[in-house]
Amino acid sequence: MNNLKNLRGTTDLLPEQLKKWQNVENIIKDQLSRANVKEIRTPIIEMTELFIRSIGEGTDVVNKEMYTFLDRGERSCTLRPEGTASVARALINNGNLKGTFNKLWYMGPMFRYERPQAGRQRQFHQLGVEFIGYESPNSDIKIITLAWDILQKLGISELNLEINSLGDRTDRENYKIAFLKWLKDNFDDLDQDSKARINKNPLRILDTKNPDTQRLLENAPKLNQFLSEKSLERYSFIKNQLEFLKIPFVENLKLVRGLDYYSHTAFEITSSALGSQATVCGGGRYDDLIDQMGGDKTPAIGFAIGLERLILIAGTSLEKGRDPDIYIVNKGQLAESLAIALSRILSNFDLITELDLSGSSFSRQFKKANKCNAKSVVVIGDEEAKKNEFSIKLFNNSIENNNELKISIEDNAKLEEWILKNLNLNISAKK
Ligand code: HAM
């Protein structure tokens, strides 16, 4: 029988890799809580219609990349390809929108049926941040700087911020008329995919990956020529503020994003340290999404960072986890029982404890303690166990070190005193 394998484009994250993931996640969560952004968790599986109505028919995500299936009740379900639509739905469903400001984040797996390569998977993870109810252009600045600062905090260099304005709904409607006329005049030269998009969603032709169509589009009317005075003013404010805050950016008039819900500010952050999948963060404003989904008209802006790509470029210093504070070496039946009792006592302290249950020789267990960089060892043999005692000492010190102490299993105070004195930890024993 063939070995069972994970599906293409999905990966197992093993404990060694997860140290870096956890360090990265902790730094991110710390930054977000400092900005008073609250976590939200939504289901991984949603009604397919949610994504069709938000991301848009005619987008690559909806047309080609969704994991969609009928459940046993014949309902069309989809594994979420992104998080913004679900967050909007959750706020509408829970009546959390009227006149409120919501600053939310989420982290978790997303699913897109794409061709896997380095930094591109079918199951990948995103950190998403959504500011919902916020209209002021300064909220755009807050969102962009939050994304930028998270990446900086993780020590990621070679970052490039690109921005564009997609105007409001009316600007895009005006543009669509001119663009459609141009598309019809150039119909014969378009690729098949683009031809199919003309009636469904012509603006998505701007995302085409076809090099001939991309070249042809150089001569098409540009969206920025159709922005109203008001939209242009908003956009200028954002560019000025970014300059004021010394956040380097380039304007990219071709940046339209691959999802339909955006208006006004759209931005992406790329890193030259990544290969072809260089976009580590993408986001923008989506003022029309919530009323389009049946909620009250609510302005909003957000971004998502691809965690796999982030992990690829985050510094190697983040790969290290915390080493065990105490390694419990023990041999013999009585000793093992006492070791288990002690490990339960130690779990009340803010310590990492490794309990050796191998039954191998003392010298082997010491070797293992050394290998995992344990700061200290507890040693229990059957003789000590008979007296309900164990000895504890700092590791890596010479045998003659004077920090070794015999302690009775009942003497929690003495144990705590030793830990405080020797392990240099900010420990808190639960009383
Ligand atoms: P997005 O640009 O589709 O935006 O995805 C955001 C990020 O997710 C990308 O920049 C990339 O780093 C990562 N990503 C996307 N697809 C893959 C993949 N197949 N494998 C690995 N990483 C991937 C959104 O999803 C929007 N919901 C962002 C947003 C939030 N806009 C407003 N609020």
Side-chain angles (χ1 to χ4, degrees):
M1 201 171 70
N2 288 338
N3 280 342
L4 292 171
K5 281 197 176 150
N6 56 323
L7 287 170
R8 193 162 127 80
T10 69
T11 5
D12 299 311
L13 293 171
L14 302 173
E16 283 313 297
Q17 294 155 290
L18 279 173
K19 284 181 187 167
K20 189 169 186 185
W21 278 76
Q22 286 161 349
N23 287 333
V24 165
E25 287 169 10
N26 289 340
I27 292 173
I28 291 174
K29 286 178 194 169
D30 189 50
Q31 285 287 104
L32 291 167
S33 71
R34 281 162 203 264
N36 201 25
V37 185
K38 304 269 172 20
E39 184 180 5
I40 181 166
R41 296 186 192 186
T42 60
I44 284 174
I45 183 172
E46 295 270 8
M47 285 164 64
T48 304
E49 201 191 332
L50 170 68
F51 302 113
I52 297 179
R53 273 175 52 186
S54 55
I55 298 171
E57 250 176 308
T59 57
D60 277 352
V61 173
V62 166
N63 277 3
K64 305 179 187 164
E65 297 171 1
M66 293 208 303
Y67 278 87
T68 296
F69 56 94
L70 289 182
D71 71 5
R72 286 167 195 271
E74 303 283 303
R75 285 168 288 252
S76 181
C77 306
T78 294
L79 295 180
R80 63 180 185 193
E82 59 106 50
T84 310
S86 302
V87 170
R89 180 204 50 67
L91 293 189
I92 297 170
N93 290 167
N94 291 286
N96 279 9
L97 284 173
K98 272 224 154 71
T100 56
F101 296 95
N102 289 282
K103 291 197 287 180
L104 301 167
W105 67 267
Y106 49 89
M107 223 187 254
M110 308 289 161
F111 304 84
R112 295 185 192 177
Y113 194 85
E114 293 193 79
R115 204 154 46 81
Q117 61 182 83
R120 190 164 74 195
Q121 298 197 169
R122 291 182 177 166
Q123 178 180 334
F124 60 100
H125 298 77
Q126 278 186 349
L127 155 75
V129 178
E130 315 291 353
F131 280 14
I132 295 179
Y134 291 81
E135 184 159 32
S136 131
N138 269 318
S139 57
D140 302 37
I141 297 296
K142 183 65 201 160
I143 272 284
I144 296 174
T145 53
L146 193 56
W148 186 261
D149 292 344
I150 284 174
L151 297 169
Q152 296 277 324
K153 194 89 191 161
L154 289 164
I156 295 171
S157 52
E158 302 173 63
L159 291 175
N160 315 293
L161 167 65
E162 295 185 358
I163 63 165
N164 192 18
S165 173
L166 308 180
D168 63 15
R169 210 182 324 211
T170 317
D171 300 341
R172 283 193 306 284
E173 282 305 321
N174 291 336
Y175 171 63
K176 203 155 115 185
I177 296 167
F179 187 48
L180 260 176
K181 183 179 177 315
W182 181 89
L183 286 170
K184 285 183 180 147
D185 291 346
N186 291 274
F187 187 81
D188 292 341
D189 297 326
L190 295 173
D191 61 275
Q192 285 310 317
D193 239 17
S194 300
K195 281 179 180 163
R197 276 171 160 161
I198 282 197
N199 293 323
K200 253 192 186 170
N201 195 342
L203 292 189
R204 287 277 67 94
I205 295 174
L206 295 166
D207 315 329
T208 182
K209 310 265 176 346
N210 183 297
D212 293 333
T213 309
Q214 280 176 344
R215 251 190 309 279
L216 191 68
L217 285 171
E218 299 281 341
N219 304 316
K222 301 283 178 296
L223 177 56
N224 68 321
Q225 296 158 345
F226 291 79
L227 298 191
S228 66
E229 275 297 308
K230 217 169 145 214
S231 300
L232 281 172
E233 219 172 273
R234 193 177 197 291
Y235 186 36
S236 295
F237 175 86
I238 286 168
K239 289 187 281 186
N240 289 339
Q241 278 299 94
L242 287 174
E243 270 163 24
F244 171 73
L245 293 168
K246 299 201 168 40
I247 308 267
F249 67 90
V250 287
E251 208 174 339
N252 177 357
L253 299 179
K254 287 189 194 151
L255 181 79
V256 286
R257 310 271 301 124
L259 315 163
D260 265 359
Y261 48 64
Y262 291 110
S263 56
H264 293 296
T265 310
F267 66 98
E268 287 186 353
I269 303 177
T270 57
S271 165
S272 350
L274 283 165
S276 57
Q277 298 307 309
T279 311
V280 67
C281 172
R285 181 159 279 287
Y286 47 95
D287 292 347
D288 302 317
L289 175 65
I290 291 171
D291 64 323
Q292 208 173 288
M293 285 172 56
D296 296 329
K297 180 140 179 67
T298 311
I301 181 162
F303 67 81
I305 289 178
L307 293 181
E308 277 75 8
R309 296 183 192 177
L310 190 59
I311 298 290
L312 282 174
I313 49 177
T316 46
S317 63
L318 292 163
E319 277 162 19
K320 232 179 121 38
R322 189 171 141 192
D323 294 324
D325 299 294
I326 299 184
Y327 193 104
I328 307 178
V329 171
N330 61 94
K331 181 140 183 68
Q333 229 172 29
L334 272 181
E336 206 162 278
S337 304
L338 192 73
I340 288 174
L342 178 63
S343 73
R344 294 183 67 211
I345 293 171
L346 289 170
S347 70
N348 288 325
F349 294 83
D350 181 20
L351 291 170
I352 297 186
T353 310
E354 175 65 44
L355 169 64
D356 196 313
L357 289 173
S358 65
S360 52
S361 69
F362 278 119
S363 67
R364 273 203 155 187
Q365 292 190 42
F366 273 109
K367 267 191 199 137
K368 282 202 278 174
N370 191 23
K371 203 164 169 208
C372 70
N373 286 327
K375 294 194 192 88
S376 66
V377 279
V378 155
V379 187
I380 316 177
D382 272 349
E383 281 312 304
E384 284 103 334
K386 269 186 211 152
K387 289 186 251 165
N388 257 346
E389 267 182 9
F390 59 89
S391 60
I392 188 165
K393 65 176 179 181
L394 281 180
F395 207 42
N396 290 335
N397 279 24
S398 66
I399 302 292
E400 302 87 58
N401 71 57
N402 55 9
N403 56 49
E404 180 166 358
L405 194 68
K406 276 208 183 334
I407 304 180
S408 153
I409 187 88
E410 267 109 43
D411 199 345
N412 275 1
K414 200 164 174 189
L415 176 63
E416 185 173 343
E417 193 189 328
W418 187 93
I419 290 170
L420 274 171
K421 186 166 159 229
N422 292 288
L423 291 183
N424 197 21
L425 286 170
N426 188 15
I427 58 164
S428 53
K430 285 190 193 139
K431 299 292 174 209

